[in-house]
Amino acid sequence: MGADHTHQAVPSDMTLRVKALESLLVEKGLVDPAALDALVDTYENKVGPRNGAKVVARAWVDPEYKARLLADAPAAIAELGYRPEQGEQMMVLENTPEVHNMVVCTLCSCYPWPVLGLPPVWYKSAPYRSRAVIDPRGVLKEFGLTLPDEVEVRVWDSTAEMRYIVLPERPEGTGGMSEEELQTLVSRDSMVGVAKVDRA
Ligand code: FE
């Protein structure tokens, strides 16, 4: 572990407590593991990333908000009511026709949870964590995203102190859409940088 890259090498006290509680509740028949999985899925895919989608859609429709977001992400994100509880820094990376950003945590699973919720299983997996750095284009291809050679791919390694969120490109042909409609287009994967946003 590098001095400038602090990660949790062992499960945190909170993780262990949650595991212990889950085991006990399942053992006593108080909760169904499938129901817990469904709840976690909700936070991974539905509730969590909706916060990020609101941030992205606002940036697409409001250039001044976008400027604030790129300059000081925590403050701009807090304008919409989402705040990191542990004071971790967040930075927003803008994708353009020339530059594609993607985010990884090579050592564990650091993730901008105030805007994306819980990290998906693949984000925490050893293959993604190692290969995103070694072969980012290959990993993106597996996600179904093939980038032209002239597009520069930048990989950002998250830490406990610095979490990254990708601001994806606004798709062509969405000029007439409202901010609310735009929110529905923004996927979690596009904010991790393993997908583009498609027009619905
Ligand atoms: Fe990490």
Side-chain angles (χ1 to χ4, degrees):
M1 188 187 301
D4 60 340
H5 194 88
T6 307
H7 293 258
Q8 292 171 338
V10 294
S12 68
D13 185 54
M14 179 68 85
T15 305
L16 292 172
R17 280 166 183 273
V18 168
K19 278 277 168 216
L21 268 176
E22 180 181 341
S23 304
L24 194 62
L25 290 170
V26 170
E27 191 181 302
K28 294 202 174 283
L30 293 173
V31 299
D32 173 0
L36 278 182
D37 288 346
L39 198 61
V40 169
D41 177 70
T42 297
Y43 279 92
E44 275 181 16
N45 297 305
K46 301 187 182 80
V47 177
R50 289 304 95 208
N51 296 349
K54 287 179 187 168
V55 171
V56 168
R58 176 66 55 85
W60 283 347
V61 301
D62 181 344
E64 288 177 10
Y65 181 78
K66 179 177 149 182
R68 293 199 297 280
L69 184 66
L70 295 174
D72 183 351
I77 288 166
E79 287 179 39
L80 301 190
Y82 314 123
R83 285 183 176 80
E85 278 182 12
Q86 293 160 331
E88 59 271 35
Q89 267 290 337
M90 291 187 284
M91 184 184 288
V92 171
L93 313 163
E94 183 183 18
N95 279 354
T96 68
E98 293 81 32
V99 176
H100 181 92
N101 297 285
M102 68 185 281
V103 180
V104 65
C105 174
T106 54
L107 291 189
C108 50
S109 57
C110 301
Y111 196 64
W113 63 264
V115 279
L116 292 187
L118 298 173
V121 170
W122 58 257
Y123 184 84
K124 298 183 274 188
S125 73
Y128 179 78
R129 284 160 36 208
S130 57
R131 293 189 48 232
V133 176
I134 300 165
D135 179 21
R137 286 174 191 274
V139 171
L140 291 175
K141 264 187 197 139
E142 287 165 25
F143 276 93
L145 180 57
T146 303
L147 294 172
D149 288 344
E150 60 269 25
V151 174
E152 179 191 347
V153 178
R154 291 184 191 160
V155 181
W156 299 75
D157 192 2
S158 309
T159 69
E161 288 79 28
M162 181 59 83
R163 320 290 170 104
Y164 301 102
I165 310 113
V166 174
L167 174 58
E169 288 175 85
R170 180 172 176 167
E172 299 283 333
T174 57
M177 292 178 76
S178 70
E179 187 175 341
E180 288 71 26
E181 288 169 324
L182 290 167
Q183 288 169 12
T184 67
L185 300 183
V186 183
S187 67
R188 174 196 65 201
D189 288 1
S190 72
M191 294 180 278
V192 184
V194 295
K196 285 184 176 258
V197 174
D198 295 318
R199 215 177 130 189

